Amino acid sequence: MPEDTIKVNYSGAVNAALRRVLAEVPETLLYGEDLAKPGGVHGVTRGLWKEFGDRVFDTPISESAILGSAVGAAMMGRRPIVEIMWADFFLVAMDQMVNQAANVRYVSEGRLKAPLVVRTQQGDSPGSCAQHSQNLEALFLHVPGLRVAMPSNPQDAYDIIVSAVHCDDPVVVIDNRTLYFGEKQEIVTGRPPAPVGGSHVRRTGEAATVVTWGAITHRVLEAADRLAAGSTPVTVIETPWLNPFDTDAVIESVERTGGRLAVVHEANTTGGFGAEVIARVAEAGVLRGRPVRIGVPDSRIPAAPELAAALIPSGDRIAGELGRLVSAG
């Protein structure tokens, strides 16, 4: 596929990536609930059924059947891309991911693999309620054998889908629904698939290192810009790939920024992946002073937008906590 530049929003980038892999990789299948003819609950897969026929199809409402069939298809040489409508619905089919997909390569002594991609979305949006707003990435990151990615912008959304389909491990790609219909941006398409993993330095500064991923990255950047305007520039590292995680880049940055580290995520703080990031940096011996975890309190997410907004870290809260981290030395 020749390299090109297109202007799309986040959902358009995902759609373009899916169209590319369906065209380039004949082993791919794309299926899930309301994904084909309706075009997906958020319209992300619109038009792909008409273009690729029976390789794109709708399924019954059975997450266990969707994931179980994907594991079997992957073991037999296909590269299925399946959609779990909300990450919360993943929980009824965790056996298929934890006990089956993640174990295929190990229990077959490397004779088989499960190159499947599971697309899902999570996070708060107005009125999404407690059963449609959980941030569950830490559950998947606790399972050896699963790759996990959480992009925050159209370019990464496109690149990660392409890389995930070419990966021989099962990959969980987690979107945030609030990103789907954001501003259109120019992205580069047609580049060769990149290996999974890697991070981005989104801002540079010597005062501290801030690590983040997913939709809350945009609030972190807002806070970083505010601090920079006040002569307290921080380095912001976005890690769209959480497994494999770019530990080396984070350690190097923390060492360069005086041993000061903050991690920001939309998931609740207890047991969140931020604790693992801090532990890895602490084990490297480069922390100086108290690291900071910024996340949601250990609470269910309420349906009322005003109450939900009070729980999810805002740009003001992030800037305030980063300011205190820096001033504490």
Side-chain angles (χ1 to χ4, degrees):
M1 182 177 183
E3 192 170 301
D4 193 13
T5 300
I6 60 174
K7 193 168 186 177
V8 290
N9 59 16
Y10 189 106
S11 64
V14 176
N15 187 279
L18 293 171
R19 177 173 284 103
R20 171 181 170 175
V21 295
L22 283 164
E24 289 184 346
V25 185
E27 295 83 9
T28 53
L29 303 169
L30 177 62
Y31 60 94
E33 297 165 11
D34 296 331
L35 180 149
K37 294 182 181 180
V41 66
H42 297 289
V44 175
T45 54
R46 186 175 292 122
L48 298 176
W49 166 68
K50 289 184 178 179
E51 190 167 345
F52 296 99
D54 58 9
R55 290 171 58 205
V56 180
F57 56 91
D58 294 317
T59 67
I61 302 175
S62 175
E63 283 75 19
S64 185
I66 292 168
L67 290 175
S69 64
V71 174
M75 290 170 63
M76 298 306 293
R78 292 285 195 166
R79 290 185 177 264
I81 310 163
V82 297
E83 182 176 301
I84 301 298
M85 193 177 288
W86 269 267
D88 315 71
F89 300 169
F90 231 123
L91 301 177
V92 301
M94 285 295 277
D95 176 74
Q96 304 292 356
M97 292 302 292
V98 176
N99 285 328
Q100 309 308 326
N103 272 324
V104 166
R105 190 191 294 270
Y106 179 74
V107 300
S108 70
E109 297 181 329
R111 292 189 296 269
L112 296 171
K113 56 190 179 182
L116 64 98
V117 177
V118 185
R119 290 191 57 254
T120 192
Q121 47 87 23
Q122 67 179 22
D124 179 63
S125 59
S128 52
C129 306
Q131 292 179 328
H132 295 76
S133 57
Q134 298 172 94
N135 290 273
L136 302 177
E137 68 267 21
L139 296 183
F140 303 109
L141 290 164
H142 192 66
V143 181
L146 299 182
R147 304 300 188 182
V148 182
M150 286 183 62
S152 73
N153 60 74
Q155 184 69 67
D156 279 351
Y158 177 91
D159 291 338
I160 282 171
I161 287 292
V162 175
S163 295
V165 169
H166 286 84
C167 178
D168 285 340
D169 296 325
V171 182
V172 180
V173 181
I174 306 172
D175 295 332
N176 185 299
R177 72 185 69 93
T178 64
L179 299 174
Y180 281 142
F181 304 108
E183 182 181 352
K184 289 186 177 182
Q185 299 176 15
E186 284 194 351
I187 68 169
V188 179
T189 65
R191 292 184 293 206
V196 300
S199 61
H200 306 299
V201 177
R202 297 299 190 192
R203 298 289 187 275
T204 58
E206 302 299 322
T209 293
V210 188
V211 180
T212 190
W213 52 85
I216 207 162
T217 298
H218 300 285
R219 297 188 183 187
V220 173
L221 296 178
E222 172 194 329
D225 290 342
R226 193 179 311 174
L227 290 169
S231 301
T232 311
V234 299
T235 292
V236 177
I237 299 180
E238 181 187 6
T239 55
W241 282 100
L242 298 175
N243 183 10
F245 185 77
D246 197 352
T247 303
D248 290 343
V250 173
I251 291 172
E252 185 279 329
S253 180
V254 173
E255 194 167 24
R256 182 178 52 79
T257 56
R260 291 177 290 272
L261 170 65
V263 184
V264 185
H265 53 60
E266 191 176 329
N268 64 299
T269 305
T270 298
F273 191 65
E276 173 65 23
V277 175
I278 290 173
R280 294 186 188 189
V281 177
E283 289 172 345
V286 299
L287 276 181
R288 302 291 181 269
R290 178 182 64 89
V292 173
R293 288 184 295 165
I294 304 173
V296 171
D298 294 332
S299 169
R300 312 310 298 180
I301 299 297
E306 295 84 358
L307 297 178
L311 294 176
I312 298 170
S314 64
D316 287 341
R317 177 187 162 193
I318 296 168
E321 295 208 31
L322 294 180
R324 286 188 287 275
L325 169 66
V326 172
S327 63

